[in-house]
Amino acid sequence: GFVGAANPRTPADAVRVIFLGPPGAGKGTQAARLAAHLRVPKIGTGEMLRTAIAKNTSLGQQVHPFMETGNLVPDHLLVALVRERIAEPDCDRGFVCDGFPRTLAQAQGLEEMSGDPRAWVVFDFEVPRPELMLRLSGRRWCPSCQATFHLKNDPPKIVFVNQLAVLLLYDGDPVWSDVEKSSYERALNTPYLV
């Protein structure tokens, strides 16, 4: 329907929004914008999982083998992760889910923990496959700071400082005065953004 036909919410209503779609569709970007506008948390399981791994939590230890091998994290672990998150006080006014649920089991888990599914607003993103491949092929993640980047659309100012504190790239251009050729070649052969 149209925005003008939408039912107005009262301040007491909790906002519950789900952004669905394939990886690279823009769910995370739009979910972050809407969450900031509504002043509610954005719940992204990918970010939560990466943080759990970085902090070496019990859940992080359980999911790390799945993520490291490119396998999907089991539904029961994701549901437990989200259940724990939405129980936090900052979710009392609502939240925006970024890419969760992805499966029927996850949807059932979400329904059990959050009540009436008719109270949700759901956005389903559709993007042509060739565009998704372009978006995904440039995506990078920093395991240290958890930031995500895109090599073309959203490049970091400083892409990588290795263990030897050698500046490798700035605004996408090598800074040759700061880089010894052997260190540069060694670093290029070492994965630094996953």
Side-chain angles (χ1 to χ4, degrees):
F2 294 99
V3 173
N7 294 328
R9 292 185 175 269
T10 67
D13 289 339
V15 177
R16 297 183 201 150
V17 181
I18 298 174
F19 282 85
L20 299 176
K27 299 180 305 292
T29 300
Q30 298 307 320
R33 289 177 179 169
L34 182 62
H37 176 75
L38 297 173
R39 295 186 184 104
V40 297
K42 176 181 87 102
I43 297 178
T45 54
E47 296 161 21
M48 292 164 59
L49 291 168
R50 289 188 293 271
T51 299
I53 290 170
K55 290 183 176 181
N56 201 29
T57 66
S58 173
L59 179 65
Q61 292 172 7
Q62 291 177 61
V63 301
H64 187 259
F66 295 102
M67 293 180 68
E68 189 173 50
T69 57
N71 291 311
L72 294 175
V73 174
D75 290 335
H76 72 279
L77 293 175
L78 288 174
V79 169
L81 181 74
V82 172
R83 178 179 287 114
E84 190 175 276
R85 177 64 183 96
I86 66 172
E88 293 180 21
D90 66 337
C91 290
D92 289 346
R93 291 188 54 246
F95 47 89
V96 177
C97 288
D98 167 14
F100 182 88
R102 290 182 194 262
T103 67
L104 180 59
Q106 291 174 14
Q108 290 167 335
L110 183 61
E111 184 177 357
E112 288 171 12
M113 67 179 104
S114 62
D116 186 1
R118 293 173 295 184
W120 288 86
V121 176
V122 180
F123 294 91
D124 186 17
F125 287 60
E126 292 184 15
V127 179
R129 188 173 181 85
E131 176 64 23
L132 290 173
M133 296 307 292
L134 285 172
R135 292 179 184 185
L136 291 174
S137 65
R139 187 180 273 185
R140 299 293 184 269
W141 165 62
C142 175
S144 298
C145 71
Q146 307 302 308
T148 56
F149 306 100
H150 190 278
L151 296 177
K152 181 179 177 188
N153 301 334
D154 185 24
K157 294 293 182 197
I158 297 175
V159 175
F160 175 47
V161 177
N162 70 8
Q163 301 90 325
L164 303 173
V166 176
L167 178 64
L168 295 179
L169 297 173
Y170 179 75
D171 284 336
D173 295 323
V175 181
W176 295 106
S177 62
D178 296 333
V179 178
E180 293 179 40
K181 187 173 181 178
S182 62
S183 295
Y184 186 66
E185 289 174 356
R186 198 172 345 117
L188 286 178
N189 293 326
T190 304
Y192 52 91
L193 295 176
V194 179

